[in-house]
Structures are given as structure tokens and as C-alpha cells.
Amino acid sequence: MQTLLDWIYPPTCIACKALLPLNEPERFICVSCRDIFEPILHPNCLKCGAPTDAPVVHCASCRGRKFYFSHNISTFTYDELMRELINDMKFNRKKRVAQGLGILWANSTDRNLSSVDFFIPVPMHRKKQNERGFNQAETLTIPLAKAFQIPMLPILARTVDTVPQSEVHPSRRAENVKDIFLVTDPSAVKNKNIILTDDIFTTGASLNECAKALKKAGAGDISCMTLAISVKNNDNP
């Protein structure tokens, strides 16, 4: 439904910034930009989901690590365009970018999720979320929950306001988030099958700690879905 604000501040494409028609149903991404996002195609690492030269159970980045989730599936490559949009979403507090990327994610995801009970987004610390005004993982997940008719359950809490993972060397990211996530209602996840959601998979440290907390609370199968993944260069088995 068109509003007065649409005429005063007409919607623009989050990718190319071009004006969108007022009858555009989603009002986030123009027709020309819908196919410029680079999808993740097979083969890939069966654990983290990164593109590889051939299917591997664990790529070089995953081997030797203990994971509390079964696997991650990412939809897009973390290329220059995706990096710009995620930075805009996070550091410029552009919730509209998160909403648009969430719709793109939902429309580009083709999976059988019939056995999944909940989507659970990776939480932000309350202080950071208040500063930003929204949790991007939650905003991205809302269209997924709607598309698959699976409830989103924001039941994880981040108990420590840590240094952002992007500012920490990859070798220290696991330590930066160790034991900082809490399940606020363990009974709600007991024996439930869960998909953890987040914007980007780099080392997977935050997702892994979230999965560990959920496993400790008695959750069933835990897998991950992320909007994008940082492509690794060391994918040989």
C-alpha cells in the first residue's frame, strides 16, 4: 500500500540505488539487480558450505575443529557487493537493507525444511542492539520464517559485549566468543530441531558457540543457514 512517505521519500534499490516503481511489491531490489548476487553452487564443503574444487567432508579450514552443528548452508558468495550491503546494514544501521536481503534470501532458498521446528538467529548483546536499533540476524530471518512457515525463536542471549568478530584475527575468534551465549528457556528447545541463522559465515565461531549452548540445553539436530559465506582459498582435502 502506497503512503505519503513513498511520495516524499520514494524507495530505492538497495543495490544500485535507482528509484523503484511505487507499484513494486517488495520495494527493495530492482528487477535489474535481482540476478547480480553470486549464488553458492556445488561442489562445496559439506561442513561449512564453502565452495570447493570437489565435494569434501571437511575443507582445510574445518579439519580438526569440533563442531556442535551438523552443517552450514550459505546462499550467496561474500563478494564486493554483498560486503558493501552487509557493512551498510551493520555499520550504517540500514534496517531496510537487512529487510531487502532477507527477502532475497528467502526467495533464493530451496530446501526441504519439513523436519525443522525453529529458526534461531544469532543474538547481539543488548547494548549493541540498542545502539544499532535492530539485530540484523533477526531481521534477515523474518522473511525465511514467513516463507517456510517455521517460527523464529529468539531464545539465545549474548551475555558479554565482546569485541566484534570482524576486528579479531580469525585464529582468536573462537576464544573471543567462548561461553558467551545463553539459552533463556531450555525447555523450549529440548529435543527440537533447529536452524541457526546469521548474515555471514567466516570462521563459524559464533554459530558454533550458539550451537554448543543449544546442545547443552538439550536441543536435537542443529544446522546453520547463512546469507553469505566468505570464500576460502584452502579448500583442498
Side-chain angles (χ1 to χ4, degrees), residues 29 60 115 177 182:
I29 301 176
S115 63
V177 294
L182 174 71

Side-chain angles (χ1 to χ4, degrees), residues 14-16 33 36-37 78-86:
I14 62 172
C16 70
C33 288
I36 66 174
F37 293 86
Y78 186 63
D79 57 9
E80 183 177 352
L81 172 62
M82 189 61 74
R83 179 183 59 80
E84 290 177 358
L85 289 172
I86 288 179

Side-chain angles (χ1 to χ4, degrees), residues 217-232:
D221 181 70
I222 301 172
S223 59
C224 302
M225 287 177 63
T226 50
L227 172 68
I229 190 166
S230 179
V231 176
K232 302 172 178 64

Side-chain angles (χ1 to χ4, degrees), residues 9-17 27-29 81-103 124 128-140 199 227:
Y9 304 105
T12 58
C13 173
I14 62 172
C16 70
K17 314 305 181 188
R27 299 195 200 174
F28 293 105
I29 301 176
L81 172 62
M82 189 61 74
R83 179 183 59 80
E84 290 177 358
L85 289 172
I86 288 179
N87 285 346
D88 211 20
M89 172 179 72
K90 288 183 173 181
F91 304 118
N92 295 327
R93 306 176 184 179
K94 297 290 184 65
K95 186 175 183 179
R96 186 172 178 277
V97 173
Q99 292 169 325
L101 288 176
I103 291 172
M124 295 177 66
K128 282 194 174 75
Q129 184 164 338
N130 288 340
E131 291 172 351
R132 185 173 296 170
F134 64 98
N135 174 359
Q136 74 278 352
E138 286 188 15
T139 304
L140 288 167
D199 55 349
L227 172 68

Side-chain angles (χ1 to χ4, degrees), residues 4 24 38-39 59 61 98 100 107 125 146 170 191 202 207 225:
L4 178 60
E24 169 60 48
E38 184 178 352
C59 67
S61 297
N107 291 341
H125 190 269
K146 182 178 180 180
N191 299 322
T202 48
L207 287 162
M225 287 177 63

